[in-house]
Amino acid sequence: MLRVLYRDLRHYITTREPTTIHFNLFGVLQNENAFRKSISKIPESTNPPSITVDSLINSCGLPPKTAPSAAKKVRLYSTEKADSVISLFESYGLTKIHIAKLISQRPELLSYDPNKNLKPKFEFLCGLGFSGPDLPQIIAYDSALLTRSLQNQIMPYFNYLKSYIGTTANILSVLKRWPNIFHYNLEKVLIPNILILQVHGVPDCNISRLLITQPRTLTLKSDRFREIVEMVKKFGFDPSSLMFSNAVRTISGMSKSSWERKLMVYRGFGWSDYDILSAFKRHPYCMNISEEKISRGVEFFLEKLKWKPSEISLRPSVLLLSLEKRIIPRCAVLEILYLKGIIRKKLNLGSVLNMSERDFLEKFVNKYQETIPEVMKAYKGGIEFAGFGEIVEVKESSIKAGIDHVTPS
């Protein structure tokens, strides 16, 4: 590049008319702009070398459209090292699809020394028990894994996860659910957050379960995580219960402003803070759903079923169900059976709505579809539900009392 620039510049200077250059008292070129403008006209190669693009297409399987873009992140002067990298990947079970995806995201891997930089990382993972299809899966979950330091990042993280959650299957589950977990400092984030839970009395089995099923929760900044754990404890959750972990998981998954907006939705329908807290303690995920789903669900139960907020809070799980696919069709079936005189006693609607698909069909649809064919039509959404109130009831489930507000102090 420098030789080309020097050649073109020399040609430019020797073939153009002499230019008088004036200096001011401070030695600044008077015609500096004109000189810069002339220099900018010198042609410069912006396309990546064809050898790099060809290797990305032919050896790595990248599409011709995306190869030039990837080639800007790596410069190959021969295919020898790149071919060795590809051969190493294949020897550890990575398919052409795996390799194409990996290199499209991390093309710089082609410039790595396969024996010095890459093979030790594969050997370490194999030593932990990852083999067969598991090894390519790990690489697929986090394409940056092979770019990380073996001694400072990969080994400490994997050894810790192995000691805490045991099996390679559990580690794969962690990576699948939160591939970015290795982006967080083990000593400053993950371990301190686990310690916070332990100090507040959360059993290791529940912490392991949280780490496996919702690893992102444990990568919050420790100050914020501690605030959430203390908030959940203040709400009256028992740290030894899974419900405590579910509540921590729920609040960790949203911002403070999102939490407040959802509280306002419930309050807008006449819910007291006690109602909201009662619902949250029975089923923390009632705060996981979107504001729109909360609004539509609460409105349906208030208007169509004539429930009170305090009654909905006794069965908050119903708010997580689909209105169109489950709640409305089942209510339409029950309404028909009530009008036909089949149902003569009050039903616990919460239990009916949470009933499995097979059990509901057997008990309320298949049993009557020959004599009352409308039930199948209603079940499939073909009959509009007008609403009812007197044929259903809500039964309260036991729950320990807690504080009567849900706004964090």
Side-chain angles (χ1 to χ4, degrees):
M1 175 62 75
L2 291 175
R3 288 183 178 178
V4 174
L5 181 61
Y6 174 79
R7 183 195 65 204
D8 293 341
L9 180 58
R10 184 177 180 185
H11 174 75
Y12 169 83
I13 293 174
T14 55
T15 57
R16 61 162 295 172
E17 292 292 328
T19 300
T20 301
I21 301 176
H22 302 283
F23 291 86
N24 61 16
L25 292 176
F26 301 100
V28 181
L29 290 171
Q30 295 290 346
N31 64 342
E32 181 181 5
N33 291 336
F35 183 75
R36 285 181 176 176
K37 185 175 182 180
S38 299
I39 289 294
S40 67
K41 294 180 180 180
I42 298 176
E44 181 178 354
S45 176
T46 58
N47 295 324
S50 60
I51 189 173
T52 304
V53 176
D54 290 345
S55 180
L56 290 170
I57 295 173
N58 299 325
S59 300
C60 305
L62 269 68
K65 289 184 179 180
T66 61
S69 176
K72 294 178 182 179
K73 300 177 183 178
V74 63
R75 184 62 59 91
L76 302 178
Y77 297 97
S78 73
T79 62
E80 182 179 355
K81 183 179 287 185
D83 289 343
S84 297
V85 170
I86 299 300
S87 296
L88 179 72
F89 289 161
E90 291 174 341
S91 70
Y92 281 100
L94 273 70
T95 65
K96 292 182 179 180
I97 296 176
H98 288 138
I99 294 172
K101 182 179 179 181
L102 177 62
I103 298 302
S104 67
Q105 296 174 344
R106 303 289 171 180
E108 65 269 24
L109 289 172
L110 294 176
S111 65
Y112 281 32
D113 185 314
N115 293 317
K116 182 180 179 180
N117 300 123
L118 296 174
K119 188 174 181 179
K121 298 172 184 177
F122 280 101
E123 289 180 341
F124 170 74
L125 295 173
C126 289
L128 284 179
F130 294 99
S131 60
D134 291 344
L135 196 57
Q137 275 188 308
I138 289 180
I139 308 303
Y141 291 148
D142 182 12
S143 63
L145 182 63
L146 294 177
T147 68
R148 304 190 184 283
S149 167
L150 176 61
Q151 297 294 331
N152 298 328
Q153 293 175 293
I154 296 176
M155 289 180 67
Y157 241 113
F158 272 93
N159 285 333
Y160 181 79
L161 290 175
K162 182 78 171 178
S163 66
Y164 202 81
I165 57 179
T167 67
T168 56
N170 285 339
I171 296 177
L172 281 173
S173 179
V174 171
L175 292 175
K176 182 177 181 180
R177 288 179 167 86
W178 188 226
N180 292 338
I181 192 169
F182 291 106
H183 297 196
Y184 299 88
N185 189 292
L186 179 65
E187 299 291 337
K188 295 181 179 179
V189 179
L190 185 64
I191 293 178
N193 286 345
I194 288 177
L195 182 60
I196 289 171
L197 292 173
Q198 290 173 333
V199 167
H200 282 84
V202 180
D204 282 336
C205 59
N206 289 355
I207 299 175
S208 298
R209 183 185 177 96
L210 181 63
L211 179 57
I212 295 168
T213 60
Q214 194 64 24
R216 186 171 186 174
T217 299
L218 293 167
T219 59
L220 285 180
K221 291 183 178 180
S222 292
D223 289 343
R224 172 60 178 158
F225 188 73
R226 181 181 293 104
E227 178 186 354
I228 291 171
V229 171
E230 292 174 351
M231 177 180 170
V232 171
K233 199 169 184 178
K234 189 176 179 182
F235 284 164
F237 284 88
D238 178 3
S240 66
S241 70
L242 279 176
M243 204 66 77
F244 185 94
S245 299
N246 291 342
V248 170
R249 170 182 175 178
T250 296
I251 301 176
S252 298
M254 69 183 82
S255 64
K256 291 182 180 180
S257 59
S258 179
W259 173 267
E260 289 293 338
R261 287 195 303 271
K262 291 178 182 181
L263 292 181
M264 292 305 296
V265 173
Y266 281 112
R267 288 167 180 157
F269 286 100
W271 287 48
S272 67
D273 279 6
Y274 181 82
D275 292 331
I276 301 172
L277 182 59
S278 295
F280 183 64
K281 292 182 71 174
R282 288 183 172 86
H283 206 307
Y285 297 160
C286 70
M287 291 295 288
N288 249 352
I289 56 181
S290 68
E291 296 160 50
E292 180 186 0
K293 187 172 178 63
I294 293 172
S295 181
R296 294 182 66 239
V298 172
E299 183 179 26
F300 177 86
F301 282 93
L302 290 177
E303 294 188 1
K304 292 289 187 179
L305 302 185
K306 307 303 179 184
W307 285 14
K308 298 175 182 178
S310 59
E311 292 175 324
I312 304 175
S313 71
L314 298 178
R315 283 282 188 174
S317 60
V318 297
L319 296 175
L320 280 68
L321 303 174
S322 170
L323 270 177
E324 291 76 16
K325 295 180 180 180
R326 177 175 289 214
I327 296 176
I328 293 177
R330 292 192 180 189
C331 285
V333 169
L334 296 178
E335 182 185 25
I336 290 173
L337 295 178
Y338 169 72
L339 294 175
K340 297 289 186 179
I342 302 298
I343 296 178
R344 298 181 181 276
K345 62 180 181 179
K346 288 187 176 182
L347 295 173
N348 185 333
L349 186 59
S351 297
V352 174
L353 294 179
N354 281 295
M355 191 179 290
S356 70
E357 206 71 22
R358 185 185 64 181
D359 289 345
F360 182 84
L361 278 169
E362 182 179 339
K363 188 171 184 178
F364 296 104
V365 180
N366 296 339
K367 187 176 180 180
Y368 303 108
Q369 65 175 334
E370 290 187 6
T371 55
I372 311 174
E374 300 98 300
V375 292
M376 182 57 76
K377 184 178 180 181
Y379 181 74
K380 292 182 178 180
I383 296 179
E384 185 179 353
F385 172 61
F388 53 64
E390 66 274 17
I391 67 169
V392 297
E393 64 179 357
V394 184
K395 292 185 178 179
E396 182 175 1
S397 57
S398 61
I399 186 168
K400 294 181 181 179
I403 62 174
D404 59 356
H405 60 86
V406 287
T407 302
S409 55

